[in-house]
Amino acid sequence: MRMHTVAGMFKRILTLTACVVLGVALAVAGRRVAAAWNLFPPRDLTKSSAYVREVMQLVNENYVDEKAAAYDQLAKNAIHGMVESLDPHSEFLEAKDNKEFEEDLTGEFGGIGIEVESRNGRAIIIASIANTPGARAGIQRGDVIVSIDGKPVNNAAVGNSVVSQLRGKPKTRVAVGLFRPATHANLNLTLVREVIKIESVRDVRVLADGVGYVQLTEFSEHTGEQFGRALDQLLGQGATSLVLDLRNNPGGLLDAAVEVAEPFFKKGELIVYTQGRKPGDREDLRAERDGAPLDLPVAVLINAGSASAAEVVTGALKDTGRAVVVGERSFGKGSVQSVFTLKNGEGLRLTTARYYTPNGVSIHEKGITPQVEVIMTPDEDDKLSRQNARSDLTDPVEFKDRFGFDPIEDRQLAAALDVLKGVRLLGERAAVRITAR
């Protein structure tokens, strides 16, 4: 069975998380793994596998630690090295890691609520999930995890091993050592794990002048459905324009990204396409929603923490002129991973394609450039993330007592509101000209 997942188990999913989640396809191991091996010419495969076998036997018979040189362990280590040397997003998932990966797709697990990516042998924070221990503690995008429970994080521990150590039973403690490049500071935090329930759609409200606002924190199985309800709520409350906040959204399911974009597209219109190594590997993902598309001014907010599926939505709306993009250049995660099921509950996540916006633009390692650029300083970004994580603290005095600073202005949101105001004024002037005629 094959299913597509942008950080697996739904209709045409292809995970894009950086950090933890993005384009994934589950496949029956025998047929798909055999097909993968058949990509190699039989002669080269035979020669190369014989060489690997020779080295494994040499290590097994001569290495000082007999247990460490057991064939099953050597085989797993070899697969790790073979796959994970390809790119930061391809990896061999041992049984525990594979189970945690599946938990990511369900949107609920025990942990501290941060998105992590392996980059140049370091564990980099992509984003802190809103209203989680990590966000409340002030962990920032770009922080580097240097230790967990006092043990240094080295190249061998980066990736799913870091995620495994950070996860655990709710109400248990974990000590995290961080290095913050922006200030060259070393931080040591002790956090209490919680059940992390990923709520894709947050902070749905109508702002002044009929501007609807909705924040998406990630793209999971029910995001499309939740976003549809949010749109209905905003339109029912009289919203005449929309701010779609995708800042610090690390991605998720590609199908969810398509479903979020669909309300703004006519049925059959191209939203995104993926392209593998062969010309025939292209797959177009088009709007399937019946009815007329929404026709209202839209501003999309992004920053360097917006990745993968968030970039799919942004790219689709920007390319087709359906939204103005405001903020900072996005992360640039435009590759698609397919996950093949192996024996013993293990999995293989492999980059098999890249995704492209409707205009054929690859975002991979480039990101999306906003049309209205508003750069937040690291200090502003930190403060804004912390105050957004505690939207329940509405009293300024209580807020300052909790965080030690006064609430700051969200300059990116303010710029988006200015853009929508300008669009509205242009529309009103056009209507006046038409009436005058």
Side-chain angles (χ1 to χ4, degrees), residues 210 212 231 235 239-242 263-264 293-299 322-323 420 423:
L231 284 179
L235 294 173
T240 55
S241 58
L242 177 69
F264 306 97
L294 286 177
D295 183 17
L296 74 170
V298 179
R322 289 176 166 88
L420 293 176
V423 172

Side-chain angles (χ1 to χ4, degrees), residues 270-273 311 315-316 319 355-363 368:
L270 179 66
I271 293 175
V272 63
Y273 70 89
E311 293 173 297
D319 271 15
Y355 71 79
Y356 295 81
T357 67
N359 286 348
V361 177
S362 172
I363 298 166
I368 295 174

Side-chain angles (χ1 to χ4, degrees), residues 33-332:
V33 172
W37 282 110
N38 286 337
L39 293 175
F40 296 93
R43 182 179 301 174
D44 289 348
L45 174 59
T46 301
K47 182 179 179 180
S48 298
S49 59
Y51 184 52
V52 172
R53 178 188 177 93
E54 179 183 345
V55 174
M56 287 180 64
Q57 184 175 352
L58 181 67
V59 174
N60 174 264
E61 295 175 353
N62 295 279
Y63 186 65
V64 65
D65 187 338
E66 181 179 358
K67 184 177 180 181
Y71 280 122
D72 61 343
Q73 188 60 49
L74 291 178
K76 288 183 179 180
N77 291 343
I79 296 172
H80 275 295
M82 174 175 59
V83 176
E84 291 159 20
S85 65
L86 298 171
D87 63 56
H89 310 294
S90 296
E91 59 185 327
F92 170 53
L93 299 168
E94 297 190 33
K96 182 182 178 182
D97 297 329
N98 201 32
K99 181 180 179 182
E100 290 177 350
F101 177 76
E102 292 177 358
E103 288 176 354
D104 286 336
L105 299 178
T106 66
E108 183 172 326
F109 52 87
I112 63 172
I114 58 175
E115 301 288 350
V116 182
E117 179 176 77
S118 170
R119 189 184 302 169
N120 298 325
R122 301 189 303 170
I124 309 294
I125 306 296
I126 295 178
S128 294
I129 300 170
N131 295 318
T132 65
R136 291 194 292 270
I139 294 178
Q140 298 179 20
R141 181 180 74 244
D143 287 350
V144 181
I145 300 177
V146 296
S147 67
I148 299 174
D149 286 331
K151 298 178 181 179
V153 173
N154 51 38
N155 288 356
V158 171
N160 276 325
S161 176
V162 168
V163 175
S164 298
Q165 293 177 69
L166 293 175
R167 289 186 177 181
K169 293 182 179 179
K171 298 183 180 180
T172 59
R173 294 180 180 274
V174 59
V176 182
L178 300 170
F179 172 70
R180 182 161 295 165
T183 59
H184 301 283
N186 291 296
L187 307 172
N188 293 293
L189 305 173
T190 299
L191 306 174
V192 178
R193 296 182 178 96
E194 297 177 0
V195 174
I196 307 299
K197 295 182 179 180
I198 308 297
E199 297 181 0
S200 302
V201 180
R202 296 182 62 252
D203 202 6
V204 181
R205 54 197 165 106
V206 177
L207 307 177
D209 298 322
V211 178
Y213 173 88
V214 59
Q215 180 186 36
L216 270 63
T217 59
E218 54 92 48
F219 290 83
S220 61
E221 180 182 2
H222 302 295
T223 302
E225 177 185 348
Q226 294 171 5
F227 182 66
R229 288 200 299 266
L231 284 179
D232 289 341
Q233 175 185 329
L234 293 172
L235 294 173
Q237 294 175 353
T240 55
S241 58
L242 177 69
V243 172
L244 178 57
D245 192 345
L246 300 180
R247 291 175 294 181
N248 296 318
N249 184 319
L253 307 180
L254 181 57
D255 239 23
V258 172
E259 290 172 359
V260 166
E262 276 183 321
F264 306 97
F265 287 78
K266 293 185 293 186
K267 185 173 182 178
E269 279 191 283
L270 179 66
I271 293 175
V272 63
Y273 70 89
T274 64
Q275 179 65 60
R277 62 191 291 177
K278 300 177 183 178
D281 290 340
R282 171 167 168 161
E283 181 180 6
D284 291 354
L285 285 81
R286 299 179 179 275
E288 297 179 355
R289 183 175 178 269
D290 293 320
L294 286 177
D295 183 17
L296 74 170
V298 179
V300 179
L301 287 174
I302 61 170
N303 62 9
S306 306
S308 184
E311 293 173 297
V312 167
V313 173
T314 305
L317 295 175
K318 180 184 178 184
D319 271 15
T320 57
R322 289 176 166 88
V324 176
V325 181
V326 180
E328 305 168 22
R329 182 186 295 271
S330 62
F331 183 80

